[in-house]
Amino acid sequence: MDTQRTIDAPDTVGPVLCLADIGFDAPAALLAAYGLTLHRVPDGAPIPGSYWGAPEAGIIGVDVHARGDTPVHSLLHEAGHLIVLPPECRAAVHTDATDSVEEEDATCYLQIVLADALPGVGRDRLMADMDTWGYTFRLGSTRAWFEQDAEDARAWLLARDLLPL
């Protein structure tokens, strides 16, 4: 097992990068490449399929729901849950997609890698935002986990052809 990880969405969050900061176009294109659709939720409205509640992204089937105040790390994490699932299993997903610790670890790894595909984001910013938001890893930071303790998550993704070599 790679991580001893919890995610505690704080009541007040420091400055993390949100969709309003980068726009919806690049994230929508990234998700579309994986067969997913990004739906923009009006500011202040509830986010369908959000596990943690607003402003966290939500997932229902192949649809990812987010608002302008949704953190980019949340969007990539929830989309990552759908990406790691076989396409035939996605339709059954509503709000919670985690099937195992291995899948959760793979999702965390994938969200970091996907950040490099978004202009103005990148893995360094995403890992800092994950730490700010409250992700905790056994080695003390997202970066330490990603660089020193995530080989099982990377192998899991490579075995399913979900990462470039």
Side-chain angles (χ1 to χ4, degrees), residues 115-126:
D116 287 339
L118 295 176
V121 183
R123 67 182 61 191
D124 291 336
R125 175 59 192 258
L126 196 83

Side-chain angles (χ1 to χ4, degrees), residues 6 17 27 38 45 47 68 70 75 77-78 85 89-90 92 104 114-116 123 126 128 137 142 144 148-149 152 155:
T6 60
L17 200 59
L38 177 58
I47 298 176
T70 296
L75 172 79
H77 187 85
E78 296 308 321
L85 284 175
C89 296
R90 293 176 182 172
E104 184 68 28
L114 291 175
D116 287 339
R123 67 182 61 191
L126 196 83
F137 293 90
T142 304
Q148 302 170 34
D149 195 31
D152 289 346

Side-chain angles (χ1 to χ4, degrees), residues 35-106:
L36 307 177
T37 302
L38 177 58
H39 296 274
R40 186 173 189 161
V41 176
D43 292 344
I47 298 176
S50 178
Y51 182 83
W52 296 102
E56 297 283 336
I59 52 175
I60 302 172
V62 297
D63 299 315
V64 181
H65 303 271
R67 301 188 314 206
D69 64 343
T70 296
V72 174
H73 70 81
S74 174
L75 172 79
L76 293 176
H77 187 85
E78 296 308 321
H81 274 299
L82 296 176
I83 293 167
V84 303
L85 284 175
E88 64 274 10
C89 296
R90 293 176 182 172
V93 172
H94 194 300
T95 308
D96 187 4
T98 300
D99 189 41
S100 66
V101 170
E102 293 79 15
E103 185 180 289
E104 184 68 28
D105 290 346

